[in-house]
Amino acid sequence: MSEEKLLFVEKQLNRWKRPESPKPGTAFVFVGDGKPSIVVYEGQQGPTLGELIWGKYTVYYEVDMGERSLDFHEKIPCADAFEFNAEVRLTYAVNDNPVVQAPALIVRSARTDASQFLKNLAIDVMRRTSRRYPHEESGKAENSIAAQIEEEVRDKGFKLSRSAFVKLSLDEAVRSRLVNRQLGNYDFQDQETKIARDFKLEEFQQNAKFNLKEKKAHFFAPLIKEGDWETLLAMLDPNDPEDAAIKGMIEATWNQEKMLAEKQQKLFELALEKGAIEDYELGNAARKALEGFTEVPRKSVASLQSGSTIEDAESVSIDKQADKPEELGRDENENE
């Protein structure tokens, strides 16, 4: 970056005439042969002619103490393989604190291009510092770089009129990729959360169904054992697919029992009609079954209680008729 004027210029001493006091915004630095440098600030008289002669001062430098500005951009590394675009702004001047003797330090450095000198200094600071920070911590990197620049600028004999400005950013293409990556991560996390939530909900539902089934089984067991299908059907939910399946099985079982009962009823009716059974032979179980399915006069058949067929019942009837005359003859003899 070009300078409007040099940071300092060399001037020759007149052996018989002492220089005037420094002009506003400047300072003099007298350099002698083996003697310490003498710094003269604005408003000061400086060394006498005798001091200059006896001290063998042959040259002096006029140092610009005015305010200058530096503004530049630079690419610097960061910790995660990206690059920062660094924007730096400095407003500076040579330090005018007499204790520091900054003009003499500036002259000894032999750098008349202050802006380039400070630019190189700032870039070196930024490269050393920025590589410790990932792009997510650009704010921390900015503060650290600014503080380090201010410290090193002071060490080189300058002062800053205001705090160093450092702004770090990423290229537009890089920012777009990072934004898309973040959106992708958010979508993945949302999907992951949804899957976990759905899994948990399904687990709760399965547990609830299992508990409900367990309670139903505990409550339905006595009804099933007693064959109380009517009560059991009344308790089932017609809108529940599982209850509907159970209802179908119960109705099938109930219908089968009805068919069996109807078949048994016909068997009783046929046996009664044929005279194959007597009332005293009718057991409680057969009587109850008969009462549940017919209103005809009750007669009994022991063989039907043990599962005999209709043909068996007819055979029993024939045998009984064959035996009946002998029984009547025995009764007559006894009466005589």
Side-chain angles (χ1 to χ4, degrees):
M1 185 175 183
S2 61
E3 293 283 353
E4 294 183 357
K5 57 182 178 179
L6 299 176
L7 185 57
F8 61 89
V9 294
E10 181 180 337
K11 292 182 174 296
Q12 294 295 321
L13 279 171
N14 188 330
R15 184 175 179 82
W16 309 108
K17 185 179 180 182
R18 187 180 66 174
E20 299 288 340
S21 178
K23 295 182 295 185
T26 64
F28 292 156
V29 178
F30 293 89
V31 179
D33 185 10
K35 298 290 184 180
S37 300
I38 299 176
V39 179
V40 180
Y41 294 98
E42 179 185 346
Q44 295 179 343
Q45 293 298 320
T48 64
L49 186 57
E51 289 173 333
L52 293 176
I53 294 174
W54 292 107
K56 297 182 180 181
Y57 289 96
T58 57
V59 68
Y60 73 101
Y61 298 88
E62 185 180 49
V63 181
D64 181 19
M65 304 291 288
E67 190 174 87
R68 299 169 180 238
S69 62
L70 173 63
D71 188 349
F72 69 93
H73 294 77
E74 185 71 17
K75 287 188 177 296
I76 58 176
C78 64
D80 48 9
F82 295 109
E83 279 189 327
F84 286 126
N85 291 323
E87 179 185 358
V88 180
R89 288 201 297 269
L90 302 177
T91 303
Y92 66 96
V94 176
N95 196 336
D96 56 1
N97 187 339
V99 177
V100 178
Q101 296 286 289
L105 180 62
I106 295 296
V107 170
R108 285 197 298 271
S109 71
R111 296 296 300 267
T112 60
D113 52 346
S115 292
Q116 187 61 47
F117 173 68
L118 292 184
K119 178 180 178 181
N120 293 339
L121 181 147
I123 290 174
D124 181 62
V125 169
M126 288 191 297
R127 289 186 177 278
R128 283 189 279 112
T129 307
S130 65
R131 65 180 68 252
R132 300 198 301 264
Y133 296 91
H135 71 275
E136 296 92 342
E137 298 181 359
S138 60
K140 292 182 179 179
E142 290 170 354
N143 295 334
S144 180
I145 290 172
Q148 190 67 25
I149 287 176
E150 291 172 3
E151 181 179 346
E152 297 205 16
V153 163
R154 287 193 297 268
D155 292 342
K156 302 303 181 183
F158 294 92
K159 66 177 182 179
L160 295 179
S161 303
R162 56 184 65 90
S163 299
F165 174 84
V166 179
K167 179 65 177 177
L168 302 180
S169 61
L170 297 173
D171 288 336
E172 184 63 32
V174 175
R175 287 201 301 270
S176 298
R177 289 201 301 270
L178 290 175
V179 168
N180 292 335
R181 180 191 298 177
Q182 289 175 344
L183 292 176
N185 288 339
Y186 291 149
D187 290 342
F188 175 78
Q189 291 172 359
D190 289 345
Q191 186 68 16
E192 191 177 35
T193 302
K194 182 178 182 301
I195 291 173
R197 186 171 56 247
D198 292 345
F199 177 79
K200 198 69 178 176
L201 180 59
E202 184 177 357
E203 185 179 14
F204 285 150
Q205 290 174 342
Q206 291 295 335
N207 289 337
K209 286 182 178 179
F210 179 80
N211 293 334
L212 181 59
K213 287 180 179 179
E214 189 176 19
K215 290 180 180 179
K216 282 184 176 180
H218 179 73
F219 190 81
F220 289 168
L223 299 177
I224 295 173
K225 186 176 180 180
E226 295 172 4
D228 190 355
W229 309 123
E230 189 172 2
T231 302
L232 188 57
L233 286 173
M235 298 182 65
L236 295 176
D237 183 0
N239 298 320
D240 188 339
E242 293 186 359
D243 281 7
I246 296 174
K247 180 181 178 182
M249 289 188 292
I250 293 174
E251 288 178 343
T253 303
W254 196 8
N255 290 334
Q256 187 177 7
E257 289 187 356
K258 282 184 178 180
M259 291 174 61
L260 183 61
E262 289 173 358
K263 184 176 181 181
Q264 190 176 24
Q265 176 186 348
K266 289 180 180 180
L267 187 61
F268 273 115
E269 290 175 351
L270 181 60
L272 291 171
E273 182 181 348
K274 297 293 185 179
I277 57 174
E278 299 293 340
D279 285 342
Y280 65 86
E281 294 176 317
L282 191 64
N284 291 332
R287 186 178 293 108
K288 288 182 179 180
L290 185 61
E291 289 174 351
F293 295 100
T294 183
E295 295 180 357
V296 299
R298 294 188 300 274
K299 295 184 178 181
S300 65
V301 56
S303 60
L304 290 178
Q305 288 179 294
S306 60
S308 301
T309 62
I310 295 176
E311 291 77 5
D312 294 335
E314 293 175 349
S315 177
V316 171
S317 177
I318 293 171
D319 292 341
K320 284 183 175 291
Q321 291 176 358
D323 294 340
K324 194 170 183 180
E326 295 180 0
E327 292 176 357
L328 291 173
R330 192 183 305 117
D331 290 341
E332 292 175 355
N333 293 330
E334 288 176 356
N335 291 330
E336 292 177 356

